[in-house]
Amino acid sequence: MTFGDIIREHRRSFPDGIALVDGDVRLTWPQLDERTNRLAGALTDAGVGPGDRILWLGQNSFRIWELLGAAAKIGAMVCPGYWRWAAPEMAFAVEDFDPKVVVWQDEEIGDTVAKARAELGSDHRALWLRHDSAGADSYESFLASGSPEDPVADIDPDAALLVIYTAAISGRQSGSMLSHRNLLAMGASAAWMGDIGTETSFLGAGPMFHIGNYQFWGVPAFVHGGKNVVVRRVVAEELLPLLAGEKCTHAYLMPPTIAQLVALNREAGHDLSHLRASVAAQLWEGTVPTDHSRFTRNGGGMGRGYGQTEVTGFAVTGAYGDAGTGNAGRPGPFTAVRILDGTGQECAVGEAGEICVRGDLVHLGYWNRPEINEERFRFGWWHTTDLGRREPDGTISFLGTTTRMLKSAAENIFPAEVENCIESHPAVKEAAVIGVPNERWAQDVKAVVVLQPGVEPVTAADVIEHCRARIASYKKPKTVEFVEALPRTKDYAKDYAVLDERFGGGGYPGGDQLGAGR
């Protein structure tokens, strides 16, 4: 089975079922099947075929689902890019991913797209389609030009379909390639965990450049013939009537948004009785029923597990078996996990080592990164770069990262990327980035900077603005400290432990936190 086969089958099994809702758009499964056929035909006519790439530069839209369906039918792959990318990051993604088609949005990010295209120059010859317009070069005009006939093709279930750019471990972001098999295995296992079915109505308020929105619960609902309700971005005042009107059973919402919804509904009085509180249930203050699925039963009111984009979401959860002692839980039926040492040997129970994974949830590797892929797939296992421990009862504990990572709300930030950006400032000699605890957002980014000798004075605002123009805004430092020199370890690496102690760093993901991982 492929992602395209799911749409074909649902057309027949659920002829009246609603597949997608986005504003005034309501698509039944037969309508979605026809539109993805037309889009697949138009893409084929434009020269897009197996292994070719389509890049989305815009906010959430039902059209991302359509692009996935169309690409699935012709063997292509789709990357929903970060709409919050700065222009240089956007230009890098276009050069790196080398798409044949770019679908872009003018509203809110049109200026950034224009700057990125200017940086690219005339050498890049992708077909650019604007999705929020009705002109000749629009997405809708392009789709309408395609044939409604099904492009019958033999597509490999192990071909890449969805590509998600992950945080920059090595100083530049990399596109994690997820196959049809990855997505369908994740959809099946997550649906079992969360009691997802045809009756599910999922509000996809999370960003579609993030794996979380697909796993909880976009793809499971899609696979089981449920309804996906798409919102362009999170505005609590707009989400509240939508949750009620579409009788949403599940939603991808962050704690600050939940708090806003609860406050707003004290006056609005919308009926949210269909909605289940599966994450941060206490924040709903009893206004919606608590979810009692396998996903939450061993998590103390919060989904419990460990995962990352590269394993299609959670590889380990509390849904399997009893609660146990490990803070992450156990692997599911599509996944094998080992705790390995540096030689590829399995660590003894109770001994810390690297969490390594293989199975149907492990991605195909990073697009255009053969050296990194060879290193990360050594010994026949995907190496997560995260530390873990197998407990005596068989559960797994996530202990932290082997590469330092910061967490701001749902976003992962790797210091190497931010440090590279800061150090590109002509007045900066070197920089180190730490995470400072933030009660609401988990962590704030703090930069510790050493200036070049004899330069003109540079302020914290100068450093922050330098980053704002070059990387996504959520990655930029909130505060900057200037020092004469960075502390060093014995091997002359930056001593982040000393920096944490000196400047109040801490709150890194891991330890006994639930939902650990990236």
Side-chain angles (χ1 to χ4, degrees):
M1 290 288 287
T2 67
F3 204 80
D5 291 329
I6 294 292
I7 299 173
R8 295 180 177 108
E9 183 55 38
H10 287 352
R11 173 179 191 150
R12 294 162 173 80
S13 296
F14 307 112
D16 299 320
I18 300 296
L20 294 170
V21 175
D22 186 348
D24 295 332
V25 174
R26 301 184 70 83
L27 296 181
T28 64
W29 287 104
Q31 289 171 330
L32 177 61
D33 190 43
E34 180 176 329
R35 282 179 63 87
T36 54
N37 286 345
R38 286 188 178 277
L39 184 54
L43 289 167
T44 300
D45 292 343
V48 179
D52 288 331
R53 294 158 302 285
I54 303 159
L55 178 63
W56 172 273
L57 296 177
Q59 294 164 319
N60 288 2
S61 171
F62 74 99
R63 294 185 174 109
I64 298 177
W65 288 106
E66 287 187 336
L67 284 166
L68 287 168
K73 291 179 176 182
I74 61 174
M77 59 183 100
V78 178
C79 173
Y82 282 40
W83 63 269
R84 291 181 289 193
W85 271 333
E89 293 175 303
M90 199 173 282
F92 168 78
V94 175
E95 288 185 319
D96 184 58
F97 197 52
D98 192 24
K100 281 199 171 179
V101 176
V102 179
V103 184
W104 66 283
Q105 175 179 313
D106 183 63
E107 187 174 358
E108 289 198 52
I109 64 170
D111 288 345
T112 305
V113 173
K115 290 176 183 176
R117 294 184 72 173
E119 286 193 26
L120 290 165
S122 59
D123 291 338
H124 197 277
R125 303 193 178 277
L127 173 63
W128 290 72
L129 301 170
R130 180 178 162 187
H131 95 90
D132 57 345
S133 76
D137 63 345
S138 71
Y139 172 95
E140 287 296 332
S141 295
F142 180 76
L143 182 149
S145 70
S147 168
E149 297 299 316
D150 193 320
V152 179
D154 186 15
I155 305 302
D156 184 357
D158 289 313
L161 175 59
L162 174 64
V163 178
I164 295 179
Y165 271 78
T166 63
I169 296 173
S170 60
R172 61 175 180 168
Q173 298 191 89
S174 299
S176 173
M177 298 185 291
L178 302 175
S179 68
H180 299 256
R181 188 184 304 277
N182 291 153
L183 293 170
L184 299 189
M186 176 266 280
S189 60
W192 177 86
M193 287 191 290
D195 292 339
I196 304 298
T198 309
E199 74 288 350
T200 297
S201 176
F202 170 64
L203 179 72
M208 294 184 74
F209 55 69
H210 194 290
I211 191 62
N213 203 64
Y214 296 96
Q215 184 172 28
F216 306 118
W217 304 91
V219 171
F222 198 91
V223 167
H224 286 267
K227 177 173 65 176
N228 270 278
V229 181
V230 182
V231 293
R232 184 169 64 89
R233 63 177 305 170
V234 174
V235 179
E237 291 81 0
E238 297 174 4
L239 297 186
L240 188 56
L242 199 57
L243 285 166
E246 296 297 334
K247 296 183 178 179
C248 292
T249 57
H250 298 74
Y252 190 97
L253 299 167
M254 298 305 294
T257 304
I258 294 174
Q260 286 181 285
L261 291 169
V262 170
L264 288 168
N265 207 37
R266 291 193 185 102
E267 293 187 11
H270 288 288
D271 179 8
L272 301 181
S273 60
H274 292 84
L275 187 62
R276 303 184 206 170
S278 57
V279 174
Q282 71 281 4
L283 295 179
W284 287 100
E285 299 178 7
T287 59
V288 303
T290 298
D291 178 52
H292 294 292
S293 70
R294 298 177 182 91
F295 177 66
T296 59
R297 70 181 181 188
N298 288 334
M302 175 181 281
R304 177 166 167 259
Y306 161 80
Q308 56 182 204
T309 300
E310 294 87 342
V311 295
T312 328
F314 275 4
V316 182
T317 77
Y320 300 100
D322 57 15
T325 58
N327 66 14
R330 296 178 173 86
F334 295 104
T335 310
V337 173
R338 296 289 184 273
I339 308 299
L340 302 183
D341 64 17
T343 67
Q345 298 301 305
E346 185 172 9
C347 296
V349 170
E351 180 183 346
E354 185 173 9
I355 301 173
C356 297
V357 188
R358 68 182 179 196
D360 288 348
L361 295 182
V362 177
H363 75 160
L364 303 177
Y366 296 120
W367 166 256
N368 198 27
R369 304 286 189 275
E371 297 86 1
I372 297 176
N373 292 338
E374 183 177 2
E375 168 68 14
R376 297 287 292 276
F377 276 112
R378 64 190 185 277
F379 310 128
W381 294 84
W382 171 252
H383 287 246
T384 66
T385 73
D386 290 325
L387 292 173
R389 180 179 61 232
R390 180 81 67 170
E391 305 295 354
D393 63 3
T395 56
I396 291 172
S397 291
F398 169 69
L399 303 177
T401 60
T402 59
T403 58
R404 288 172 60 89
M405 182 187 75
L406 280 60
K407 193 83 169 180
S408 178
E411 299 297 346
N412 299 329
I413 303 168
F414 280 90
E417 182 182 22
V418 185
E419 290 169 358
N420 286 347
C421 180
I422 296 171
E423 289 172 354
S424 71
H425 192 294
V428 173
K429 180 179 179 181
E430 58 181 352
V433 165
I434 63 173
V436 178
N438 179 303
E439 186 174 345
R440 185 176 187 187
W441 300 113
Q443 289 180 309
D444 287 335
V445 178
K446 176 184 280 290
V448 184
V449 174
V450 179
L451 296 178
Q452 297 282 4
V455 299
E456 292 292 324
V458 173
T459 67
D462 294 331
V463 172
I464 293 169
E465 190 57 37
H466 175 81
C467 293
R468 189 198 307 274
R470 290 163 176 79
I471 56 177
S473 184
Y474 68 85
K475 302 175 189 175
K476 70 181 186 300
K478 293 289 181 65
T479 56
V480 179
E481 299 281 350
F482 293 97
V483 297
E484 293 296 322
L486 294 178
R488 298 285 178 178
T489 63
K490 291 181 179 179
D491 59 2
Y492 204 66
K494 298 172 185 177
D495 195 332
Y496 292 99
V498 171
L499 290 169
D500 282 340
E501 183 178 0
R502 186 181 302 174
F503 296 107
Y508 299 97
D512 293 329
Q513 296 180 30
L514 298 176
R518 52 186 177 89

